[in-house]
Amino acid sequence: MSAINFWAWNLIGPLSTTYAEALLLSSAEASMLVATPILVGSLGRIVVGALTDRFGGRVMFIALSSSSIVPVLAVGFAGSIDSYTLLLVFGFFLGIAGTVFAIGIPFANNWYEPARRGFATGVFGAGMVGTALSAFFTPRMVGWFGLFPTHAIVAAALGVTALVCVVVMRDSPAFVPNTNPVIPKLRVAARLRVTWEMAFLYAVVFGGFVAFANYLPTYIKTIYDFSAVDAGTRTAGFAVAAVIARPIGGALSDRIPPKFVVLASLAGTAVMAVVAAFQPPPDFWSAVTFIGLAVFLGIGTGGVFAWVARRSPAASVGSITGIVAAAGGVGGYFPPLVMGATYDATDNDYTVGLALLAITAAVALLYTAFRLHAREPDTSVQAHST
């Protein structure tokens, strides 16, 4: 179910090169088009996570899938009339679909005991495969059916998803609604140290995934001069690798302290970003590089949220998840803008942007290694800390 929402959220990214050519967009303008739904989908998770604590995952899944239908159709309309302004405006509302992550994590947490939550949240996070489906199928569907009909098909899939949720989805018997007002709940979550530590780490690993899942078509076309369809195919490979790695990271975190999983992820991310800056030749070595990067990022996303599940007070899981997930999305908002702004047209490279990714991952690695504990204190103690 989350996969369809992720597909909707990522509708603009795979078509960014098409829009750039049709509308004569600069690199910065194309980056803004890609980044806008990411930002909205990120910040919206804060509120959606808190609402999930109150209403439960079933109600929120239904509401989210239903409310994403109109923005999907609107983006299709804007693209079909070649309006950059409307694409930005409707892309803003398309970000609603990206808030699905803040629903699924607390929903999955309630169904599993703590020792299994790393795997459970990792499996839910595999719904990120929707970004791969979008990267692979969206450009092809536009060629087969046309731009607006493609968006209409995705909108219909959202409607079916909402209907399936109505029929088959149920909240866990362990779910207890937290009826406290949203703002105080968010304040409580914001006072917890775990919230901001995990938000920082998730901004690096999930932000890196989101950024590349959305910007990689532009990157591949610019650096390697592939068509939109071929670039989408390679981006889909990147996304699938990250999706497969995510539950692996969660499962590993059920067996060993998540700290070590996250450390391995950050180290691998830094190394692969440096390798990518040297522009390995297509197709084999570039594929190895970006799939390797995807695997390390995917393992990290699974590890971080397994850590969240272990450390969060039960009544605040949704609120903490919303803030952490928002940080991850915001982490994915800035890299496309940075990549667009630092692109060197003379030498045709993104060295500066990739170097910044490597540096950021290295800083997160050092913080995790020296400031975070492998064995976590009791969450009841953290719940009363400020």
Side-chain angles (χ1 to χ4, degrees):
M1 295 177 185
S2 63
I4 300 300
N5 283 278
F6 273 117
W7 185 336
W9 189 37
N10 190 38
L11 274 172
I12 290 179
L15 300 176
S16 59
T17 56
T18 302
Y19 291 137
E21 291 178 358
L23 303 176
L24 302 178
L25 302 180
S26 67
S27 180
E29 288 172 330
S31 299
M32 181 64 70
L33 196 61
V34 170
T36 298
I38 297 175
L39 179 63
V40 177
S42 306
L43 297 179
R45 293 174 183 181
I46 298 174
V47 175
V48 169
L51 291 174
T52 302
D53 281 339
R54 179 165 188 165
F55 297 108
R58 179 178 183 271
V59 168
M60 293 301 296
F61 269 124
I62 295 168
L64 183 67
S65 298
S66 302
S67 61
S68 299
I69 293 173
V70 171
V72 166
L73 294 173
V75 167
F77 169 76
S80 65
I81 63 172
D82 293 332
S83 172
Y84 179 72
T85 301
L86 288 181
L87 276 170
L88 280 177
V89 172
F90 296 144
F92 178 92
F93 293 101
L94 185 67
I96 293 171
T99 64
V100 67
F101 203 83
I103 302 172
I105 296 299
F107 179 82
N109 266 4
N110 285 323
W111 278 104
Y112 291 87
E113 67 276 9
R116 293 278 293 165
R117 285 176 182 167
F119 176 73
T121 56
V123 170
F124 170 77
M128 294 189 310
V129 73
T131 60
L133 294 174
S134 183
F136 185 84
F137 285 109
T138 299
R140 287 172 168 79
M141 290 171 64
V142 169
W144 298 334
F145 310 118
L147 185 65
F148 185 80
T150 295
H151 288 72
I153 291 170
V154 176
L158 286 167
V160 172
T161 299
L163 183 60
V164 170
C165 291
V166 171
V167 175
V168 305
M169 183 171 281
R170 297 291 181 270
D171 287 308
S172 166
F175 170 66
V176 178
N178 184 338
T179 58
N180 294 329
V182 170
I183 299 301
K185 283 193 295 184
L186 292 174
R187 287 175 180 166
V188 170
R191 287 198 294 266
L192 298 175
R193 180 175 174 178
V194 59
T195 303
W196 299 110
E197 289 174 337
M198 296 299 101
F200 168 57
L201 295 179
Y202 203 61
V204 177
V205 292
F206 186 72
F209 165 75
V210 170
F212 277 100
N214 283 272
Y215 196 74
L216 204 54
T218 298
Y219 179 97
I220 290 172
K221 187 177 188 306
T222 302
I223 298 299
Y224 297 112
D225 198 28
F226 287 123
S227 69
V229 170
D230 288 338
T233 301
R234 287 158 177 79
T235 302
F238 172 91
V240 167
V243 166
I244 293 172
R246 179 163 190 144
I248 293 174
L252 287 173
S253 298
D254 287 335
R255 290 162 175 78
I256 63 175
K259 173 178 178 174
F260 301 123
V261 177
V262 174
L263 284 173
S265 164
L266 294 170
T269 296
V271 170
M272 299 314 294
V274 171
V275 172
F278 287 94
Q279 295 185 16
D283 240 0
F284 179 77
W285 290 112
S286 62
V288 169
T289 300
F290 283 103
I291 288 176
L293 178 61
V295 168
F296 283 116
L297 290 171
I299 288 174
T301 57
V304 170
F305 256 106
W307 220 347
V308 171
R310 286 192 182 192
R311 299 182 63 188
S312 300
S316 298
V317 171
S319 299
I320 294 173
T321 295
I323 295 174
V324 173
V330 171
Y333 171 73
F334 291 103
L337 300 180
V338 172
M339 295 288 275
T342 60
Y343 169 65
D344 185 344
T346 302
D347 295 326
N348 189 34
D349 68 54
Y350 289 96
T351 301
V352 173
L354 290 167
L356 289 173
L357 172 61
I359 292 169
T360 302
V363 169
L365 173 70
L366 294 174
Y367 182 85
T368 303
F370 295 107
R371 298 290 296 174
L372 300 183
H373 301 290
R375 303 293 177 183
E376 300 308 321
D378 190 280
T379 56
S380 64
V381 175
Q382 288 203 22
H384 294 88
S385 66
T386 58

